[in-house]
Amino acid sequence: MPDKTLTVAAYAAGASLAAITLIYVFGPTYFLDNDPSSNATSVFSTKKNGAVGLVNPANDCFINSVLQALAGLGDLRLYLIRETHRRSLDGGSVYSQTIPSDAWERRDANGDETSKWRVQEDVPEWKAEGLQMGIVTKGLKDILDALNERPIYKKTISAAPFVKTLEVAFGQRISRQQQDAQEFLQVVAERLCDEYHAGQRARSYARRAANQTAAKISIGNHGPDGAALDRPLPQMGSEEVDCADQPATPSATAVPDGGEEDRAEEGFPFEGSFESQIECLTCGFKPRPTQSTFCTLTLNVPHVPSTTLNACFDGMFKTEYIEEFKCEKCRLLHAKAVLEADIQRSTSESSREKARKALASLELAIETDPEQAPEGVELPDPRYAPKRKIARHIRMTGFPRILAIHLSRSIYDMSNFSQKNLAKIAFPEQLPLGGLLNQRKYKLLGVVTHKGNHHSGHYESFRRQNIYPPFSNPSTFQPSGAYINTSSPSNTSQAHASQPEPGQADTTEAVDGGITTTSQHRSTSTSRERDTDTSSLRSAAASARSTLIKIASKPSSRAGSPDTTALKFKTKSPRAMNKTKRPKSNSRWWRISDDKVKEATTRDVLGMQREVYLLFYELERESA
């Protein structure tokens, strides 16, 4: 008898050790990915995982709040991963070379300038190299990766490495006095945008250099062929280097020809654009619209006790009427009227002929391009040009993937004394922008609040508890989509053949809250038989998981009664479900004040109407 008891104990210990080993192998993040508060069948305690905090050694709350808000933006993290990985693959030689001056702007097929690089030509060489290398992009990725760790205990880090990176990038120290969070966000966002465009420019220049070198090598190998010599070479825009007898340089061959890919890729997620259009209400003339780009959108808060975010948008994008504006077309029409009066009053035939030629030039300019005054025509003094009333329209033409909104609460009086606008601003969780034909929908992911007056106070941040697929394993014990083998035609035909008849009902089984059809098990049985080892491991993992579920479930009231856990789960009454209803995972937030982290709800976030200062919205995908 003692030997039998010892054998049973050893068998139980071995089975427990095997279950723990299977959990460690197939689900190392099971305790982190499966949230106890949202899983009714969890066997773990209600201990909640916190977020990583930031220390505040010297009035750094304006830095900490912005970094915590940026850490919750999934599109920004994907962009940082893509840019740092791209630069590491291309090599340092691509981004360390000096770019000539003519590569600082782009032109379209007609030769008109379409857009300028955000970085100007007078940038020092050391700063231009830092922009091309993307040092702030790499530093921000490191700090956001550290803030997105899922600690099992309270953890606090320092933002000093990222601050040091900014000081190296700009060549100056950052003041430790109380600063504005919006100014810090604008500095970081514009620097990231400059680094993105500088990297694009470096890759484009390296591709053109590679094409030029390859063409010269081809001419040197084939001799003075007339057809080859007549073929135009790609424009370099810089001094040509005779490389016919030399192999291609590493910087030229490191970057593949991806011009179409660069044009099709998603750019910097914070960068958007809007255009300003004016219209003369007298003659109806509309000059060319003025294009502008932005990384953070500043909205003025009206001087009222309470308002809404839509009212703040109306203050910027609504039609504005301006008096006493000098219209270019009205000025030419005024000059035309003056010339016609001079022709009637003139008695000299030569003066009339000269006035008629000037009148013809004016009429041509009025019909074609009133903004360009005709050459050789003397216009009246601009002081006597008529003043008109115009309408100014502003509309957003480029919707950023991440919309950063700054609510300007500064009030200045006649004596230049500033104070804070304490108006309540109601902001939505879902923000629609655009017209009916090109409407975009944004979702609130981060908020930065400020408590205090205009000269001092404290910043806090709210960050939605999102876990994005690239950074987690939400489907523990299940094959991930990236590791599923593509089914062959034979497997597909067998899967279709194993589907039930239209009149046949599928039996289902509930496992951990998810319903799996029996037909799906039958369709994948053939592929599982081909790999017996994988099948055995998966079955062992499934048995271990079912063991955990059985432990979590309550024992039956009567001995020997059948296990009806799955049936109870499917037939639970609405009243019972309401008793065990918990907050949705997408409505839970982190409220972070430097190193202090606690949970909040969407209702708490939307209630910060008097303190809200910065809003971060992310564009919702159409497939979502």
Side-chain angles (χ1 to χ4, degrees), residues 31 34-40 42 44-49 582:
F31 294 93
N34 294 269
D35 190 1
S37 61
S38 61
N39 189 0
S42 175
F44 310 109
S45 64
T46 58
K47 179 181 178 180
K48 300 175 182 178
N49 301 321
R582 298 183 181 273

Side-chain angles (χ1 to χ4, degrees), residues 55-340:
V55 296
N56 186 2
N59 295 328
D60 289 345
C61 61
F62 70 100
I63 297 177
N64 297 342
S65 60
V66 172
L67 291 179
Q68 291 286 4
L70 295 180
L73 305 177
D75 279 348
L76 176 61
R77 295 197 64 200
L78 291 177
Y79 163 80
L80 296 175
I81 293 173
R82 185 192 72 192
E83 288 299 312
T84 54
H85 184 61
R86 169 184 288 174
R87 282 178 168 86
S88 64
L89 290 180
D90 294 341
S93 58
V94 175
Y95 302 96
S96 61
Q97 56 184 341
T98 304
I99 309 299
S101 59
D102 67 333
W104 291 87
E105 63 183 28
R106 296 176 291 186
R107 297 180 179 272
D108 57 12
N110 299 327
D112 298 332
E113 185 178 337
T114 56
S115 61
K116 287 187 176 180
W117 303 105
R118 292 178 54 88
V119 186
Q120 302 301 322
E121 301 181 23
D122 55 351
V123 175
E125 185 176 352
W126 64 269
K127 189 174 183 179
E129 183 177 352
L131 289 170
Q132 294 173 180
M133 296 295 293
I135 56 178
V136 177
T137 301
K138 179 64 168 61
L140 184 61
K141 176 185 178 298
D142 294 338
I143 187 68
L144 295 191
D145 287 346
L147 291 176
N148 276 278
E149 292 181 2
R150 292 173 291 173
I152 57 177
Y153 57 90
K154 183 179 180 180
K155 183 176 181 180
T156 304
I157 62 176
S158 174
F162 180 68
V163 175
K164 181 64 176 179
T165 301
L166 287 177
E167 293 176 347
V168 172
F170 290 98
Q172 59 184 5
R173 289 187 57 83
I174 296 179
S175 175
R176 278 308 197 256
Q177 298 178 356
Q178 180 68 25
Q179 300 290 336
D180 190 4
Q182 184 270 336
E183 295 178 355
F184 178 76
L185 172 64
Q186 186 174 1
V187 168
V188 174
E190 290 184 354
R191 174 71 188 201
L192 292 175
C193 189
D194 293 342
E195 289 184 353
Y196 168 73
H197 290 297
Q200 261 193 337
R201 183 182 61 253
R203 289 189 294 271
S204 177
Y205 179 75
R207 279 193 292 266
R208 289 191 295 173
N211 295 335
Q212 179 76 10
T213 303
K216 287 189 175 184
I217 293 176
S218 177
I219 294 176
N221 293 336
H222 295 282
D225 187 7
L229 292 176
D230 294 337
R231 188 180 303 114
L233 296 178
Q235 295 181 359
M236 283 290 296
S238 62
E239 296 181 359
E240 296 182 358
V241 181
D242 190 4
C243 304
D245 299 331
Q246 299 178 2
T249 59
S251 62
T253 58
V255 181
D257 187 8
E260 295 294 337
E261 181 179 353
D262 284 347
R263 286 189 292 270
E265 74 178 11
E266 294 180 336
F268 181 59
F270 279 91
E271 188 176 18
S273 61
F274 59 87
E275 68 176 17
S276 175
Q277 176 75 66
I278 62 175
E279 179 183 2
C280 179
L281 299 182
T282 302
C283 64
F285 173 64
K286 295 182 180 180
R288 296 177 182 176
T290 304
Q291 298 284 342
S292 302
T293 60
F294 66 90
C295 292
T296 58
L297 195 62
T298 299
L299 303 178
N300 294 321
V301 180
H303 300 171
V304 293
S306 61
T307 183
T308 62
L309 184 62
N310 291 333
C312 297
F313 270 104
D314 292 339
M316 179 178 181
F317 291 100
K318 71 177 181 179
T319 303
E320 180 183 6
Y321 297 96
I322 304 175
E323 300 283 351
E324 297 184 355
F325 184 86
K326 294 182 180 181
C327 173
E328 297 294 338
K329 186 175 181 179
C330 290
R331 183 188 177 190
L332 295 184
L333 292 174
H334 172 69
K336 178 183 176 182
V338 172
L339 282 177
E340 290 176 349

